[in-house]
Amino acid sequence: HTKMAKYAYAPLSVDPARRNTSNNTANPEDNNRGENDFVQERMPLCVGMCVLLAIVFVLSRSAGGETSDIIANIHDNVRTPATAPTSIGALPTMIDSSSSATRGISNYATMDPKMIITEPPNLNYNTNMNNQFSTIPPKSVVNTFTTNEAGIVSTTATTESMNNYNNNQFATIPPQLSSSSSLGDTASTATATTYSTTDSRSKDCDCGGDDDATTLARLREKALDSSPPHIIECSAASAGESQSACHLAPEDRFAALNQKGATLWMTGCSGSGKTTIASELEDRLVKEYGKHVYRLDGDNLRTGLNRDLGFSEADRAESVRRTGELATLFSDAGVITLVGLISPYRKDRDAARQRHIDQGIPFYEVFLDVPVSELKKRDPKGQYARVDSGELKHFTCIDDPYEEPLHPEITLKTHELEIKESANILFRTLERDGILIGAPKVSPTGLPNPDGDEIIDLHVPENLKDQRMAEAETLPKVLITDIDLNWLQTIGEGWASPLKGFMREGTLLETLHFNSILIDPFNLTGNVDRLETATDFTNFPEHPPPTRVSMSLPITLSCTSYTKDAIETSDKDAVALVTQMGQTVAILRRPEIYNNRKEEIVTRMYGVIDPGHPYIQNIYKGGDYLIGGEIELLDRIRYNDGLDKWRKTAKELLEEFQQKGADTVYAFQTRNPTHAGHAYLMRTAGEDLRNKGYQKPVLWLSPLGGWTKEDDVPLDVRVRQHEEVLRAGTTHPGGLDPETTVMAIWPAPMVYAGPTEVQFHAKSRRSAGASYFVV
């Protein structure tokens, strides 16, 4: 009878007793039954093996991923060698199909005939799993692939003696093409095709008699000449153009870092002080000013980036090129980069300079000009002594050339300067050019930016005056006092930067409790309009403004409940500010009315409540409400007292300092007539600044011109006395030099708040360019 096979789970081993039973030949029928049982038990195992083999076969035929992409690219770009085999029998097995790295290319029958992989007779490939490359044994035939301008890859066959290769010069086969297996005898007639990542160094190379360094230099130069000027980095940029669209805008980066990137390229002979001075400057900038600085010199570069370079002219040029590229990237990232390289050849330094110019990055060539006789005395590394003894040859500045810079930005004769003096000259240069601040430079060279990095002038343009005056006639009116007029002038002429109006409630509270305010002038956190936005204590920004600037005094405008009602019932979004003489002097936009926190203002400003204090009396006389909002001055505020010619805006003073060529300004505030002691302080302050390295410090004689208490010396008396001091000049013990002195009245009122007020006085003078303040 016929029995259907029953496929059921079978163990991998068979019970020995049953095996003996199946071998029992005493009863043929029982014997046949035993064989059938044995087949049934083994059949599932056989089927499973077949299925597994089929899966392996299918995967080897259809595997995709990275390897398939590589092969596809090679198929598209590699030309067919003239001796390409036409049958699978001519191709060796070079792929280990059990390796995941080679899955998908093990079936040679499906390979494009353009991709030919062959090997020389008796070639055994030994895979190095550490670097995943296989090395070619001696006397292998290497087909080197090269790309022409059209992007076509071609191959050239050369015979390489591997005895000429060191560890870094092996011609290599990509790991997906390495194997330790062989297809058979057909491999004995094949040749090996591989990719070479280095130039050929065999003794058979036709290199024109050049040594290895010269050959490498020539190959480097050729590769650089053929490199495209710009690689497209993102879809927003175009070929052959700047790729700045693909990066964070420099102004945003620098504003966030509070510094700009720049390169100081220090060049000079060995021992001239490049590393010493750069280290001194780096130490000061990082520790005292919190700036991000990095120093690049020959020593730290030759341990890594330039370790493959020697001291030939070509290698020196390549060292300068690499360092220039690195410095460009560092400076573009906002780092102040200090390069200390001998860099003896002018054309190489000029190329580094041009690279920075092309990227819009400040570049300062600093020439350390020291006589060779002085260098031999210093000789910190003993090299000059070795040169004199004949032990060292081809030493730069002795028997190898050094080409001095023709037009360096800075020349340091370090044999005539102390280390700190040299570093200070570099520091002043960075400070003068605004490198140590992140904001754009809006003030003249050498003078500080105002707080908020904006020169504020709130006067209505001439062509809009009539329009604004007509508008003011239609607005609710707010009567202001003489002190309010002083504060209005202070705001409108730019002395209270970054304020553009009377304080809103949020700004007032920051001022009272922190003596400062937070701003975001470059909108890094979306808070650019913070000071001009109505106060909302229920909705704080997710990211606070990044910059805190000094603001120690509240600058507010009070009003009565009557004025408050008139504003709130009006359909206008602005009010007109009118003096006690009935003159409309300004418009205040988007008014914010809030409670006048008189007691809080007094206690935070003075620390006490004193009804007899002259300015405290003024605070308590004010209305019960305050009005905040941005202002527009309808005209210059004039007092017609014969002193208006000395009343200048912050912007006008900046221009006058620039005309005098000031590289720094020191302000001297007066509330009394000057005397010989004052003159001594002003003269010695100028001498101290010159000793610090400033070339032309300018004195700003700054009499306080706003409201003062009754027993103070009147403003007109003080100004007339200052005029005589300037007329006397330096021939008089109490005189001042009019060539280096500017007099200008400061408009704010006195509040008699001690050090809290002095902070505002100093901050306000900074708005007009002063870096130093004497009070």
Side-chain angles (χ1 to χ4, degrees), residues 657-691:
F657 293 142
Q658 186 175 25
Q659 291 170 2
K660 286 188 173 292
D663 58 355
T664 192
V665 173
Y666 61 109
F668 193 97
Q669 175 175 292
T670 63
R671 193 160 55 91
N672 292 290
T674 59
H675 49 69
H678 290 150
Y680 172 78
L681 287 174
M682 289 184 271
R683 284 198 300 268
T684 56
E687 293 171 4
D688 289 343
L689 292 172
R690 280 185 283 272
N691 291 336

mmCIF file of all heavy atoms in Angstrom, residues 657-691:
data_model
loop_
_atom_site.group_PDB
_atom_site.id
_atom_site.type_symbol
_atom_site.label_atom_id
_atom_site.label_comp_id
_atom_site.label_asym_id
_atom_site.label_seq_id
_atom_site.Cartn_x
_atom_site.Cartn_y
_atom_site.Cartn_z
ATOM 1 N N PHE A 657 34.012 115.633 17.926
ATOM 2 C CA PHE A 657 35.149 114.825 18.391
ATOM 3 C C PHE A 657 35.873 114.181 17.202
ATOM 4 O O PHE A 657 37.103 114.087 17.182
ATOM 5 C CB PHE A 657 34.677 113.751 19.370
ATOM 6 C CG PHE A 657 34.160 114.294 20.682
ATOM 7 C CD1 PHE A 657 33.065 113.703 21.299
ATOM 8 C CD2 PHE A 657 34.755 115.382 21.282
ATOM 9 C CE1 PHE A 657 32.581 114.200 22.501
ATOM 10 C CE2 PHE A 657 34.280 115.881 22.490
ATOM 11 C CZ PHE A 657 33.190 115.286 23.098
ATOM 12 N N GLN A 658 35.100 113.731 16.236
ATOM 13 C CA GLN A 658 35.704 113.127 15.050
ATOM 14 C C GLN A 658 36.537 114.158 14.277
ATOM 15 O O GLN A 658 37.632 113.848 13.792
ATOM 16 C CB GLN A 658 34.612 112.539 14.163
ATOM 17 C CG GLN A 658 35.146 111.771 12.968
ATOM 18 C CD GLN A 658 34.039 111.106 12.167
ATOM 19 O OE1 GLN A 658 32.890 111.546 12.196
ATOM 20 N NE2 GLN A 658 34.373 110.042 11.456
ATOM 21 N N GLN A 659 36.038 115.374 14.168
ATOM 22 C CA GLN A 659 36.772 116.427 13.470
ATOM 23 C C GLN A 659 38.093 116.754 14.153
ATOM 24 O O GLN A 659 39.081 117.093 13.496
ATOM 25 C CB GLN A 659 35.904 117.687 13.376
ATOM 26 C CG GLN A 659 34.708 117.552 12.445
ATOM 27 C CD GLN A 659 33.740 118.723 12.556
ATOM 28 O OE1 GLN A 659 33.979 119.670 13.315
ATOM 29 N NE2 GLN A 659 32.639 118.663 11.818
ATOM 30 N N LYS A 660 38.137 116.611 15.461
ATOM 31 C CA LYS A 660 39.375 116.866 16.194
ATOM 32 C C LYS A 660 40.316 115.671 16.183
ATOM 33 O O LYS A 660 41.414 115.745 16.738
ATOM 34 C CB LYS A 660 39.062 117.273 17.643
ATOM 35 C CG LYS A 660 38.522 118.702 17.772
ATOM 36 C CD LYS A 660 38.410 119.115 19.201
ATOM 37 C CE LYS A 660 38.035 120.597 19.316
ATOM 38 N NZ LYS A 660 39.128 121.502 18.863
ATOM 39 N N GLY A 661 39.886 114.574 15.579
ATOM 40 C CA GLY A 661 40.751 113.399 15.494
ATOM 41 C C GLY A 661 40.902 112.643 16.793
ATOM 42 O O GLY A 661 41.912 111.961 17.022
ATOM 43 N N ALA A 662 39.917 112.738 17.671
ATOM 44 C CA ALA A 662 40.003 112.084 18.981
ATOM 45 C C ALA A 662 40.032 110.566 18.845
ATOM 46 O O ALA A 662 39.233 109.997 18.108
ATOM 47 C CB ALA A 662 38.821 112.499 19.850
ATOM 48 N N ASP A 663 40.956 109.920 19.532
ATOM 49 C CA ASP A 663 40.909 108.458 19.625
ATOM 50 C C ASP A 663 40.375 108.000 20.975
ATOM 51 O O ASP A 663 40.165 106.816 21.199
ATOM 52 C CB ASP A 663 42.261 107.818 19.328
ATOM 53 C CG ASP A 663 43.364 108.295 20.255
ATOM 54 O OD1 ASP A 663 43.125 109.192 21.088
ATOM 55 O OD2 ASP A 663 44.495 107.773 20.137
ATOM 56 N N THR A 664 40.144 108.958 21.877
ATOM 57 C CA THR A 664 39.378 108.717 23.097
ATOM 58 C C THR A 664 38.929 110.063 23.656
ATOM 59 O O THR A 664 39.536 111.093 23.366
ATOM 60 C CB THR A 664 40.187 107.937 24.155
ATOM 61 O OG1 THR A 664 39.309 107.487 25.195
ATOM 62 C CG2 THR A 664 41.280 108.796 24.774
ATOM 63 N N VAL A 665 37.844 110.058 24.430
ATOM 64 C CA VAL A 665 37.283 111.280 25.007
ATOM 65 C C VAL A 665 37.106 111.073 26.500
ATOM 66 O O VAL A 665 36.598 110.035 26.938
ATOM 67 C CB VAL A 665 35.928 111.633 24.361
ATOM 68 C CG1 VAL A 665 35.265 112.799 25.090
ATOM 69 C CG2 VAL A 665 36.109 111.954 22.879
ATOM 70 N N TYR A 666 37.548 112.088 27.301
ATOM 71 C CA TYR A 666 37.290 112.037 28.739
ATOM 72 C C TYR A 666 36.510 113.284 29.131
ATOM 73 O O TYR A 666 36.868 114.398 28.764
ATOM 74 C CB TYR A 666 38.580 111.881 29.539
ATOM 75 C CG TYR A 666 39.611 112.967 29.401
ATOM 76 C CD1 TYR A 666 39.861 113.861 30.456
ATOM 77 C CD2 TYR A 666 40.369 113.109 28.244
ATOM 78 C CE1 TYR A 666 40.817 114.850 30.343
ATOM 79 C CE2 TYR A 666 41.334 114.096 28.120
ATOM 80 C CZ TYR A 666 41.558 114.961 29.169
ATOM 81 O OH TYR A 666 42.507 115.942 29.065
ATOM 82 N N ALA A 667 35.377 113.068 29.814
ATOM 83 C CA ALA A 667 34.472 114.162 30.170
ATOM 84 C C ALA A 667 34.723 114.606 31.605
ATOM 85 O O ALA A 667 34.944 113.781 32.498
ATOM 86 C CB ALA A 667 33.023 113.714 29.999
ATOM 87 N N PHE A 668 34.689 115.913 31.793
ATOM 88 C CA PHE A 668 34.861 116.500 33.136
ATOM 89 C C PHE A 668 33.614 117.322 33.428
ATOM 90 O O PHE A 668 33.373 118.361 32.810
ATOM 91 C CB PHE A 668 36.111 117.384 33.181
ATOM 92 C CG PHE A 668 36.532 117.782 34.559
ATOM 93 C CD1 PHE A 668 37.521 117.079 35.236
ATOM 94 C CD2 PHE A 668 35.929 118.859 35.211
ATOM 95 C CE1 PHE A 668 37.909 117.450 36.520
ATOM 96 C CE2 PHE A 668 36.304 119.228 36.488
ATOM 97 C CZ PHE A 668 37.299 118.519 37.147
ATOM 98 N N GLN A 669 32.804 116.845 34.370
ATOM 99 C CA GLN A 669 31.547 117.528 34.702
ATOM 100 C C GLN A 669 31.794 118.623 35.735
ATOM 101 O O GLN A 669 32.530 118.408 36.703
ATOM 102 C CB GLN A 669 30.529 116.531 35.248
ATOM 103 C CG GLN A 669 29.239 117.195 35.716
ATOM 104 C CD GLN A 669 28.194 116.188 36.144
ATOM 105 O OE1 GLN A 669 27.681 115.461 35.315
ATOM 106 N NE2 GLN A 669 27.889 116.132 37.433
ATOM 107 N N THR A 670 31.148 119.761 35.515
ATOM 108 C CA THR A 670 31.289 120.863 36.473
ATOM 109 C C THR A 670 29.914 121.335 36.926
ATOM 110 O O THR A 670 28.985 121.437 36.132
ATOM 111 C CB THR A 670 32.040 122.049 35.839
ATOM 112 O OG1 THR A 670 31.279 122.565 34.750
ATOM 113 C CG2 THR A 670 33.411 121.630 35.358
ATOM 114 N N ARG A 671 29.795 121.606 38.229
ATOM 115 C CA ARG A 671 28.598 122.247 38.797
ATOM 116 C C ARG A 671 29.002 123.543 39.500
ATOM 117 O O ARG A 671 28.199 124.212 40.120
ATOM 118 C CB ARG A 671 27.903 121.278 39.764
ATOM 119 C CG ARG A 671 26.498 121.702 40.166
ATOM 120 C CD ARG A 671 25.694 120.521 40.705
ATOM 121 N NE ARG A 671 26.314 119.830 41.804
ATOM 122 C CZ ARG A 671 26.126 120.126 43.113
ATOM 123 N NH1 ARG A 671 25.337 121.123 43.443
ATOM 124 N NH2 ARG A 671 26.715 119.416 44.032
ATOM 125 N N ASN A 672 30.308 123.874 39.358
ATOM 126 C CA ASN A 672 30.872 125.091 39.930
ATOM 127 C C ASN A 672 31.912 125.630 38.948
ATOM 128 O O ASN A 672 32.335 124.927 38.022
ATOM 129 C CB ASN A 672 31.542 124.803 41.282
ATOM 130 C CG ASN A 672 30.540 124.424 42.356
ATOM 131 O OD1 ASN A 672 29.772 125.265 42.812
ATOM 132 N ND2 ASN A 672 30.529 123.152 42.731
ATOM 133 N N PRO A 673 32.372 126.852 39.115
ATOM 134 C CA PRO A 673 33.458 127.366 38.278
ATOM 135 C C PRO A 673 34.717 126.505 38.468
ATOM 136 O O PRO A 673 34.968 125.976 39.551
ATOM 137 C CB PRO A 673 33.668 128.795 38.788
ATOM 138 C CG PRO A 673 32.363 129.167 39.432
ATOM 139 C CD PRO A 673 31.840 127.893 40.022
ATOM 140 N N THR A 674 35.493 126.370 37.389
ATOM 141 C CA THR A 674 36.729 125.590 37.497
ATOM 142 C C THR A 674 37.803 126.428 38.173
ATOM 143 O O THR A 674 37.816 127.667 38.092
ATOM 144 C CB THR A 674 37.228 125.144 36.120
ATOM 145 O OG1 THR A 674 37.467 126.292 35.318
ATOM 146 C CG2 THR A 674 36.213 124.252 35.436
ATOM 147 N N HIS A 675 38.753 125.741 38.817
ATOM 148 C CA HIS A 675 39.887 126.426 39.448
ATOM 149 C C HIS A 675 41.154 125.654 39.111
ATOM 150 O O HIS A 675 41.131 124.692 38.331
ATOM 151 C CB HIS A 675 39.672 126.553 40.956
ATOM 152 C CG HIS A 675 39.269 125.285 41.633
ATOM 153 N ND1 HIS A 675 40.106 124.206 41.776
ATOM 154 C CD2 HIS A 675 38.079 124.914 42.205
ATOM 155 C CE1 HIS A 675 39.483 123.244 42.413
ATOM 156 N NE2 HIS A 675 38.246 123.637 42.686
ATOM 157 N N ALA A 676 42.264 126.073 39.686
ATOM 158 C CA ALA A 676 43.555 125.474 39.352
ATOM 159 C C ALA A 676 43.582 123.976 39.639
ATOM 160 O O ALA A 676 44.190 123.199 38.908
ATOM 161 C CB ALA A 676 44.675 126.184 40.109
ATOM 162 N N GLY A 677 42.900 123.558 40.705
ATOM 163 C CA GLY A 677 42.854 122.125 41.018
ATOM 164 C C GLY A 677 42.131 121.333 39.940
ATOM 165 O O GLY A 677 42.564 120.233 39.567
ATOM 166 N N HIS A 678 41.013 121.898 39.460
ATOM 167 C CA HIS A 678 40.295 121.240 38.364
ATOM 168 C C HIS A 678 41.183 121.129 37.122
ATOM 169 O O HIS A 678 41.243 120.092 36.451
ATOM 170 C CB HIS A 678 39.036 122.040 38.011
ATOM 171 C CG HIS A 678 37.979 121.972 39.071
ATOM 172 N ND1 HIS A 678 37.088 123.020 39.287
ATOM 173 C CD2 HIS A 678 37.648 121.019 39.970
ATOM 174 C CE1 HIS A 678 36.261 122.706 40.267
ATOM 175 N NE2 HIS A 678 36.586 121.481 40.707
ATOM 176 N N ALA A 679 41.873 122.246 36.805
ATOM 177 C CA ALA A 679 42.732 122.255 35.623
ATOM 178 C C ALA A 679 43.835 121.205 35.744
ATOM 179 O O ALA A 679 44.181 120.533 34.762
ATOM 180 C CB ALA A 679 43.334 123.648 35.422
ATOM 181 N N TYR A 680 44.391 121.062 36.939
ATOM 182 C CA TYR A 680 45.428 120.049 37.154
ATOM 183 C C TYR A 680 44.871 118.650 36.893
ATOM 184 O O TYR A 680 45.516 117.831 36.213
ATOM 185 C CB TYR A 680 45.967 120.159 38.582
ATOM 186 C CG TYR A 680 46.893 119.032 38.961
ATOM 187 C CD1 TYR A 680 48.209 119.029 38.524
ATOM 188 C CD2 TYR A 680 46.436 117.965 39.747
ATOM 189 C CE1 TYR A 680 49.069 117.982 38.865
ATOM 190 C CE2 TYR A 680 47.277 116.926 40.087
ATOM 191 C CZ TYR A 680 48.598 116.928 39.643
ATOM 192 O OH TYR A 680 49.430 115.891 39.969
ATOM 193 N N LEU A 681 43.684 118.366 37.416
ATOM 194 C CA LEU A 681 43.077 117.055 37.203
ATOM 195 C C LEU A 681 42.830 116.783 35.713
ATOM 196 O O LEU A 681 43.067 115.679 35.219
ATOM 197 C CB LEU A 681 41.749 116.958 37.967
ATOM 198 C CG LEU A 681 41.836 116.830 39.483
ATOM 199 C CD1 LEU A 681 40.424 116.886 40.085
ATOM 200 C CD2 LEU A 681 42.516 115.528 39.874
ATOM 201 N N MET A 682 42.356 117.808 34.991
ATOM 202 C CA MET A 682 42.070 117.621 33.579
ATOM 203 C C MET A 682 43.350 117.388 32.780
ATOM 204 O O MET A 682 43.387 116.543 31.877
ATOM 205 C CB MET A 682 41.286 118.821 33.049
ATOM 206 C CG MET A 682 39.845 118.868 33.569
ATOM 207 S SD MET A 682 38.871 120.220 32.861
ATOM 208 C CE MET A 682 39.216 121.533 34.024
ATOM 209 N N ARG A 683 44.429 118.117 33.100
ATOM 210 C CA ARG A 683 45.678 117.948 32.360
ATOM 211 C C ARG A 683 46.310 116.589 32.650
ATOM 212 O O ARG A 683 46.772 115.894 31.747
ATOM 213 C CB ARG A 683 46.654 119.074 32.706
ATOM 214 C CG ARG A 683 46.316 120.410 32.046
ATOM 215 C CD ARG A 683 47.538 121.341 32.072
ATOM 216 N NE ARG A 683 47.967 121.593 33.458
ATOM 217 C CZ ARG A 683 47.530 122.623 34.184
ATOM 218 N NH1 ARG A 683 46.651 123.479 33.691
ATOM 219 N NH2 ARG A 683 47.974 122.803 35.420
ATOM 220 N N THR A 684 46.351 116.210 33.919
ATOM 221 C CA THR A 684 46.991 114.931 34.264
ATOM 222 C C THR A 684 46.182 113.745 33.751
ATOM 223 O O THR A 684 46.761 112.697 33.400
ATOM 224 C CB THR A 684 47.172 114.810 35.782
ATOM 225 O OG1 THR A 684 45.899 114.975 36.436
ATOM 226 C CG2 THR A 684 48.139 115.868 36.295
ATOM 227 N N ALA A 685 44.858 113.893 33.670
ATOM 228 C CA ALA A 685 44.052 112.809 33.095
ATOM 229 C C ALA A 685 44.433 112.587 31.638
ATOM 230 O O ALA A 685 44.550 111.442 31.172
ATOM 231 C CB ALA A 685 42.569 113.132 33.218
ATOM 232 N N GLY A 686 44.663 113.698 30.900
ATOM 233 C CA GLY A 686 45.089 113.557 29.509
ATOM 234 C C GLY A 686 46.448 112.897 29.394
ATOM 235 O O GLY A 686 46.679 112.062 28.501
ATOM 236 N N GLU A 687 47.378 113.247 30.300
ATOM 237 C CA GLU A 687 48.703 112.618 30.283
ATOM 238 C C GLU A 687 48.611 111.120 30.564
ATOM 239 O O GLU A 687 49.299 110.308 29.929
ATOM 240 C CB GLU A 687 49.605 113.310 31.318
ATOM 241 C CG GLU A 687 49.939 114.752 30.967
ATOM 242 C CD GLU A 687 50.644 115.470 32.101
ATOM 243 O OE1 GLU A 687 50.927 114.805 33.127
ATOM 244 O OE2 GLU A 687 50.914 116.699 31.974
ATOM 245 N N ASP A 688 47.774 110.762 31.517
ATOM 246 C CA ASP A 688 47.604 109.332 31.823
ATOM 247 C C ASP A 688 47.083 108.563 30.612
ATOM 248 O O ASP A 688 47.521 107.435 30.342
ATOM 249 C CB ASP A 688 46.632 109.159 32.995
ATOM 250 C CG ASP A 688 47.233 109.603 34.324
ATOM 251 O OD1 ASP A 688 48.467 109.738 34.392
ATOM 252 O OD2 ASP A 688 46.450 109.828 35.276
ATOM 253 N N LEU A 689 46.158 109.153 29.878
ATOM 254 C CA LEU A 689 45.610 108.477 28.701
ATOM 255 C C LEU A 689 46.662 108.335 27.606
ATOM 256 O O LEU A 689 46.721 107.306 26.918
ATOM 257 C CB LEU A 689 44.381 109.228 28.192
ATOM 258 C CG LEU A 689 43.154 109.180 29.104
ATOM 259 C CD1 LEU A 689 42.067 110.120 28.603
ATOM 260 C CD2 LEU A 689 42.611 107.754 29.202
ATOM 261 N N ARG A 690 47.500 109.342 27.441
ATOM 262 C CA ARG A 690 48.571 109.217 26.448
ATOM 263 C C ARG A 690 49.557 108.139 26.841
ATOM 264 O O ARG A 690 50.091 107.418 25.988
ATOM 265 C CB ARG A 690 49.267 110.576 26.270
ATOM 266 C CG ARG A 690 48.498 111.530 25.355
ATOM 267 C CD ARG A 690 49.275 112.817 25.095
ATOM 268 N NE ARG A 690 49.201 113.705 26.259
ATOM 269 C CZ ARG A 690 48.227 114.593 26.444
ATOM 270 N NH1 ARG A 690 47.258 114.712 25.552
ATOM 271 N NH2 ARG A 690 48.225 115.370 27.508
ATOM 272 N N ASN A 691 49.806 108.026 28.140
ATOM 273 C CA ASN A 691 50.699 106.952 28.609
ATOM 274 C C ASN A 691 50.096 105.571 28.382
ATOM 275 O O ASN A 691 50.824 104.577 28.288
ATOM 276 C CB ASN A 691 51.001 107.146 30.095
ATOM 277 C CG ASN A 691 51.872 108.363 30.355
ATOM 278 O OD1 ASN A 691 52.612 108.812 29.478
ATOM 279 N ND2 ASN A 691 51.786 108.915 31.566
#
